[in-house]
Amino acid sequence: MPLSIFLRTSARLGPTVVRRSRRAASTVTSSSSSPSRSLDSILIANRGEIALRVGQTAAQHGIRVTTLYTDPDSRARHALSSPFAFNLGSVSAYLDGDRIIEIAKAQGCQGIHPGYGFLSENSEFARKCTEAGLVFIGPPWKAIEDMGDKSQSKKIMNAAGVPCVPGYHGNNQDPNLLEAEADKIKYPVLIKAVKGGGGKGMRIARSKDEFQDQLQSAKSEARNSFGDDHVLVEKYITTPRHIEVQVFADKHGNCVALGERDCSIQRRHQKILEESPAPHLPDATRKDIWAKARSAALAVGYEGAGTVEFIFDNDTGEFFFMEMNTRLQVEHPVTEMVTGQDLVHWQLKVAEGARLPLTQEEVEANISRHGHAIEARIYAENPASGFIPDSGTLLHVRTPAITEDVRIDAGFVQGDEVSAHYDPMIAKLIVRGKDRQEAIRKLAAALEEYEVAGPVTNIEFLRTICKSLDFISGEVETGYIEKHRDELFAGSVIDPEMLAQVALACLHDDAGLVTPKAASFEGSAIGFGPGYQEHHMTFTNSASASVPSATGDPFEVKVRQTSDNTFNVAVGEHVFEQVTSHTNADSRIVTTFFPHTRLDTTVIRDGDSIVAFQRGTQYRLTIPRAKWMEKALGIKDVTNSVLAPMPCKILRVDVHAGDFVEKDQPLVVIESMKMETVIRSPQKGKIANVVHKQGDQCKSGTPLVEFAGEDEES
């Protein structure tokens, strides 16, 4: 998936392009020059869209790229993007730092770009790269080590005059001591893994009664994710915003802040919308937070790209240091949009020993000219089911047009497989407007054009946020989604016209009458002639966030052909007469002329499952099987079973056969796509059978726990 025109035209950096004024140059510190080292060939130790993103900038500047992949990723875009590509083997091999260094040296690479995630914040890997004579395109390993330990980082920040959230950051991990510290801080408190990131190993304890349960959950997830279950306990700010500052430093003592990003719209403590500048941030506070971020970077001798993250208290206007991400962030394109700079190229130049291309004054001048930018993360996940990740083949992908103000960074195209083994992010959609209101309108319009069928995605949910009045007005905080749950999960009523189009698409599909040209309506006869047959179809709504009908009953549709390309369609009590319709085989767009309107709807059918896109809204339907057919196909009745919501590994089983459980009681804990999820009981009842044990791998939809029937509970 190509980057935007913006990225291609703004990547020219360096002293031949940038001219500093004497006044601006006076604000830049300098030290003895570090020896320069040209990077002619680099290895990208990552996957997906960030591997493609780094590779494109490197190629634009004549740098040869070597890519890596694992067995599940052998046909992925990043694996195919370079003729120099090497298979690491097993699923977890992206973490095999020694093997990666061996490949880089064998290929004659001068440097390794770690992207984000995986080894990007692994200080030991950075140290080994340096010792092997390779340039680690990131900060010094000691800075990664200091900032990666949340307790140590807060000590450094306090010494540098950067304000920190009150809390306990000590080494004593006795559960009773941690609870006593939480009592001192006052509830609610945030329990957070010391060596964490991405929202993993993070839990909120809102009272003393739930502290130990949340502590156990945070430690378990931290241990599984990072191999270290040490946590810290901090005051949880009830109306917080997540504001972070993009900093960049070189080897000569220069450091700039390239503006801030507001990342407050989150689920599961992970960001899904990021924007710059942050809305409603007083200018004095904005400059102060930039200055504190630069102080934080200089305090650890930082080099390269980094992000200093702050928690901003909406009630008091205070901000506190949370952590520093010692790498390029997922949301870095937002900063690129508002500064007009290619941050990957900055990384490469700094790694070669060059000075920063811009001074702080020049950065601020750029920001004032480039308006407002927002990034939406497109995930394979089901918002209506607690944002549980999804996986599978991308059956259909249609993206909005890329312009100077609309950019897509993607690691997948139609036909690719979203693996259950890795993070479920499919793409990032970034837009820019002259101000925040225009940027939001452009984002909403682009999301309406974005179609993905196969795994369930969050596209519809993101579009709903863009229409939310409080979001539009900039009244954001990290608890936004939960506080606006009723509004954001209201769902969509399915119109009879859409159901009529789905029925007609199924008839055309079954009859093999889809045509390659949208204008062709001839030869659309279904059956044996006009009025000869009436077709009956039933659909059920498989999108739990939608409202199927007032009663929740299945939808019944009747279609009678009246001439070669004309039909009468009855959807319940709604009857549409003399309807003409046609399905394009290439685009899967159904064009239907009703008596009162024309509608174009994309209909993707995969067996008994149907996904339809109409006027920016997605609908998911199922053609139900008869009971006799399910029995003939050997499909097991799972009425009394709790099913795996996704492909997963069983981490813990909390119940046994014969146990009586209450509604919402934990049953099993699973792990999928780097996320730990507690599966809770949907009802009160008796456990008849626990199907899987700890360590088992399960497919999506397989039973985890079976409940006893009413006649078995006594």
Side-chain angles (χ1 to χ4, degrees), residues 53-73:
R53 162 77 185 88
V54 173
Q56 182 158 345
T57 288
Q60 287 171 353
H61 296 279
I63 299 172
R64 195 191 79 180
V65 168
T66 296
T67 57
L68 305 172
Y69 61 93
T70 58
D71 291 336
D73 273 348

Side-chain angles (χ1 to χ4, degrees), residues 10 32 128 146 148 238-239 278 295 321 382 390 450 456 487 492 511 551 561 601 644 663 682 684 705:
S10 65
S32 58
K128 286 184 176 181
D146 288 342
T238 55
T239 57
S295 296
F321 172 83
N382 190 339
D390 202 1
Y450 214 131
V456 180
E487 174 190 1
S492 303
T551 63
Q561 186 172 359
T601 300
K663 187 177 185 297
K684 179 179 180 180
V705 173

Side-chain angles (χ1 to χ4, degrees), residues 117-372:
F118 294 132
L119 296 170
S120 62
E121 293 183 281
N122 186 310
S123 60
E124 182 69 7
F125 176 69
R127 183 182 63 79
K128 286 184 176 181
C129 287
T130 302
E131 291 175 350
L134 297 166
V135 175
F136 180 78
I137 304 173
W141 68 268
K142 190 64 171 68
I144 299 176
E145 184 177 77
D146 288 342
M147 291 293 96
D149 186 315
K150 290 181 172 58
S151 296
Q152 177 67 10
S153 68
K154 285 179 169 56
K155 293 176 184 176
I156 295 172
M157 292 304 104
N158 280 322
V162 181
C164 296
V165 179
Y168 173 76
H169 309 125
N171 293 324
N172 191 331
Q173 293 291 295
D174 178 76
N176 293 326
L177 181 137
L178 293 174
E179 183 174 336
E181 292 294 334
D183 294 342
K184 293 178 188 176
I185 298 168
K186 305 299 183 187
Y187 295 94
V189 297
L190 182 66
I191 305 166
K192 185 160 50 172
V194 167
K195 294 185 181 297
K200 296 176 180 63
M202 186 184 297
R203 296 292 186 274
I204 299 168
R206 300 188 182 278
S207 68
K208 183 180 180 67
D209 292 341
E210 67 180 46
F211 180 84
Q212 290 298 335
D213 286 343
Q214 297 289 34
L215 175 64
Q216 179 187 356
S217 182
K219 279 180 166 290
S220 173
E221 191 169 79
R223 192 163 48 247
N224 289 320
S225 298
F226 314 113
D228 188 332
D229 68 355
H230 276 56
V231 298
L232 55 81
V233 182
E234 291 183 336
K235 177 66 179 173
Y236 180 71
I237 297 172
T238 55
T239 57
R241 287 168 65 182
H242 183 137
I243 296 178
E244 60 187 31
V245 180
Q246 176 73 64
V247 294
F248 234 102
D250 61 23
K251 300 177 185 296
H252 309 279
N254 304 313
C255 182
V256 297
L258 290 97
E260 82 289 346
R261 301 183 289 254
D262 191 303
C263 308
S264 300
I265 304 298
Q266 305 178 3
R267 86 285 184 267
R268 300 197 318 265
H269 305 294
Q270 290 182 314
K271 311 159 189 172
I272 54 174
L273 284 173
E274 301 101 350
E275 60 180 302
S276 183
H280 305 317
L281 193 65
D283 193 55
T285 303
R286 193 184 311 276
K287 296 296 179 63
D288 190 21
I289 205 168
W290 291 4
K292 293 295 192 298
R294 294 172 68 189
S295 296
L298 292 169
V300 291
Y302 203 77
E303 295 172 13
T307 301
V308 185
E309 303 197 358
F310 296 92
I311 187 166
F312 180 87
D313 191 333
N314 265 348
D315 293 334
T316 66
E318 298 175 288
F319 61 86
F320 306 96
F321 172 83
M322 285 198 303
E323 61 184 347
M324 183 174 186
N325 286 304
T326 52
R327 53 173 167 79
L328 200 64
Q329 290 279 87
V330 176
E331 58 272 23
H332 76 272
V334 172
T335 298
E336 291 184 326
M337 282 288 207
V338 296
T339 60
Q341 304 300 309
D342 180 344
L343 298 190
V344 172
H345 192 210
W346 277 46
Q347 285 187 297
L348 297 172
K349 298 301 291 183
V350 166
E352 289 179 327
R355 294 177 181 274
L356 293 180
L358 299 178
T359 67
Q360 187 64 47
E361 287 83 355
E362 289 168 331
V363 167
E364 293 177 21
N366 275 2
I367 291 174
S368 67
R369 294 196 302 267
H370 281 88
H372 198 99

Side-chain angles (χ1 to χ4, degrees), residues 388-676:
I388 286 177
D390 202 1
S391 58
T393 303
L394 295 172
L395 303 174
H396 166 81
V397 176
R398 180 175 295 130
T399 61
I402 295 173
T403 69
E404 290 187 353
D405 291 331
V406 178
R407 166 178 167 180
I408 298 173
D409 287 12
F412 298 91
V413 296
Q414 184 171 305
D416 284 352
E417 186 84 8
V418 179
S419 172
H421 300 297
Y422 303 113
D423 188 271
M425 188 171 71
I426 297 173
K428 302 181 304 194
L429 170 64
I430 312 100
V431 302
R432 178 176 53 190
K434 69 178 187 301
D435 53 31
R436 187 171 186 270
Q437 282 65 39
E438 182 175 279
I440 292 174
R441 288 198 301 269
K442 286 184 175 181
L443 180 59
L447 288 167
E448 287 185 359
E449 297 174 12
Y450 214 131
E451 298 177 357
V452 176
V456 180
T457 74
N458 66 338
I459 293 174
E460 185 82 4
F461 182 74
L462 292 168
R463 190 173 69 91
T464 303
I465 293 177
C466 290
K467 302 292 185 181
S468 175
L469 293 180
D470 282 346
F471 176 74
I472 292 171
S473 65
E475 300 301 320
V476 296
E477 59 172 290
T478 57
Y480 190 92
I481 290 175
E482 189 58 37
K483 290 185 178 181
H484 293 76
R485 175 163 290 276
D486 291 344
E487 174 190 1
L488 300 178
F489 292 92
S492 303
V493 175
I494 300 180
D495 293 327
E497 289 88 347
M498 200 281 296
L499 290 164
Q501 285 192 288
V502 169
L504 289 166
C506 289
L507 286 180
H508 280 101
D509 197 41
D510 290 341
L513 294 174
V514 290
T515 58
K517 294 183 179 179
S520 176
F521 280 82
E522 296 182 0
S524 297
I526 294 176
F528 301 96
Y532 192 88
Q533 285 187 318
E534 184 173 84
H535 303 266
H536 293 246
M537 280 170 278
T538 302
F539 304 102
T540 58
N541 191 345
S542 58
S544 57
S546 300
V547 181
S549 67
T551 63
D553 294 331
F555 301 104
E556 303 292 341
V557 183
K558 298 177 182 178
V559 180
R560 178 179 290 275
Q561 186 172 359
T562 59
S563 65
D564 282 353
N565 62 348
T566 307
F567 310 87
N568 290 340
V569 185
V571 182
E573 297 179 355
H574 298 271
V575 178
F576 305 104
E577 295 185 342
Q578 301 302 297
V579 171
T580 57
S581 187
H582 146 269
T583 301
N584 184 295
D586 295 328
S587 66
R588 308 306 302 175
I589 293 176
V590 182
T591 299
T592 306
F593 290 86
F594 293 93
H596 60 292
T597 189
R598 187 204 86 244
L599 287 176
D600 296 321
T601 300
T602 305
V603 179
I604 310 299
R605 183 178 176 184
D606 181 30
D608 296 328
S609 298
I610 296 170
V611 181
F613 303 90
Q614 184 187 90
R615 292 178 174 173
T617 300
Q618 180 190 115
Y619 304 89
R620 303 181 74 88
L621 301 169
T622 300
I623 302 173
R625 291 192 182 110
K627 291 293 183 183
W628 65 265
M629 182 180 292
E630 291 188 351
K631 188 174 182 180
L633 293 172
I635 298 174
K636 185 178 179 180
D637 185 3
V638 293
T639 304
N640 292 324
S641 301
V642 176
L643 308 180
M646 53 192 160
C648 62
K649 177 182 179 181
I650 306 298
L651 294 181
R652 191 174 74 242
V653 178
D654 291 336
V655 294
H656 301 87
D659 288 353
F660 284 88
V661 298
E662 299 293 328
K663 187 177 185 297
D664 294 328
Q665 182 175 329
L667 301 176
V668 296
V669 180
I670 64 173
E671 182 184 45
S672 180
M673 291 181 167
K674 304 195 296 183
M675 183 187 76
E676 183 176 311

